[in-house]
Amino acid sequence: RSLHSNLKPTNRSDQPERQFTRISTVSVAPSLRLMGTARSKKAREQQERTSTPKTMQERTEANSKQAGVSSSSDVGECQLAMGCYWTGEGTLGALPGVLETTAGSCPGHFETVRVRYDKKLTNPKSLESQSGFKLVRINTGFIHARASQQKYYLQNTKKGLSNLLTEISNGGKVRGSTTYAAQMNSLVGGYGNENLLQKIASDAKLSKSEELTLRRYFEGRRAQRR
């Protein structure tokens, strides 16, 4: 994966070490930290229970509504195989009609991307033709890749964009949308075009700083890929 050698996950050891003032009641500080951690964990779990669809049907319907698709029956699903699902998500996320991409694998194919798409705008054969990837024609199941492998380009931006990603273990969302996540990941990787960049900046209501950061990654990576 030499194309991705410049993309390095954030290493916490690179961050400057915080300095704390030593106090006599040292036994109190760990207790307070543990209480804060427990409360934060409980708050995150509560948010996930209330904001994340509980079933695949609910998830599809929520994503369809967010993407402007009139009905979940207009959403199709297929799986494509390639040599690297980082490249797979980058390429497929920028194609017209793609609503969601998820990195994973299936029996017989080590790296695949599952795609949910708007049936009115595209179809599996068109996605195969445009991407150059191999359509998995027999449904043999799908296994999610680890969270660290989802939306790899977007996850590994140094600052300003990776913090927008949520629900990464399920493939990732930006501002509640799998489509925004797929498109932004593609742009960060240098895929897509100027029109897509302007559209996602408007639709996802990116700040000027976020849009500028996205543009810098897009233009830099696109130049590297040429």
Side-chain angles (χ1 to χ4, degrees), residues 206-224:
L206 300 183
S207 67
K208 290 295 183 182
S209 175
E210 291 166 345
E211 181 179 353
L212 179 59
T213 301
L214 179 60
R215 180 174 296 281
R216 285 174 176 169
Y217 273 104
F218 170 64
E219 293 177 350
R221 297 276 167 70
R222 182 174 60 175
Q224 290 177 2

Side-chain angles (χ1 to χ4, degrees), residues 28-203:
V28 177
S31 299
L32 291 175
R33 287 197 296 271
L34 288 173
M35 289 174 62
T37 300
R39 289 172 180 171
S40 298
K41 182 178 180 181
K42 184 176 181 180
R44 287 195 300 269
E45 291 175 348
Q46 178 64 28
Q47 183 179 9
E48 290 181 357
R49 283 195 298 269
T50 57
S51 62
T52 305
K54 296 180 181 179
T55 67
M56 185 64 70
Q57 182 179 358
E58 289 174 328
R59 179 177 170 82
T60 300
E61 289 174 352
N63 293 340
S64 302
K65 183 177 181 180
Q66 181 72 39
V69 181
S70 58
S71 170
S72 59
S73 62
D74 292 329
V75 178
E77 181 178 305
C78 66
Q79 193 172 172
L80 294 102
M82 66 286 299
C84 172
Y85 45 46
W86 299 347
T87 301
E89 280 205 282
T91 302
L92 292 163
L95 297 181
V98 171
L99 303 174
E100 177 181 339
T101 63
T102 308
S105 62
C106 69
H109 299 283
F110 186 67
E111 299 198 25
T112 68
V113 171
R114 184 184 65 193
V115 178
R116 292 200 172 101
Y117 58 91
D118 186 342
K119 292 180 180 178
K120 300 189 300 298
L121 299 178
T122 191
N123 58 69
K125 287 191 175 182
S126 178
L127 294 172
E128 181 181 44
S129 175
Q130 292 179 79
S131 67
F133 301 139
K134 181 180 179 181
L135 184 65
V136 179
R137 301 185 183 280
I138 300 176
N139 185 5
T140 55
F142 178 76
I143 304 170
H144 282 71
R146 297 190 306 273
S148 62
Q149 304 300 303
Q150 305 293 341
K151 304 298 176 291
Y152 186 81
Y153 298 118
L154 186 55
Q155 271 206 72
N156 289 281
T157 53
K158 292 182 179 178
K159 59 181 180 179
L161 296 176
S162 59
N163 62 303
L164 299 177
L165 267 174
T166 60
E167 300 183 37
I168 301 174
S169 61
N170 288 325
K173 287 185 177 183
V174 168
R175 304 272 158 82
S177 169
T178 59
T179 307
Y180 297 165
Q183 292 175 345
M184 285 187 65
N185 180 66
S186 295
L187 289 165
V188 168
Y191 301 89
N193 53 45
E194 176 66 23
N195 289 338
L196 179 62
L197 193 153
Q198 293 182 9
K199 184 177 186 302
I200 189 65
S202 174
D203 291 351

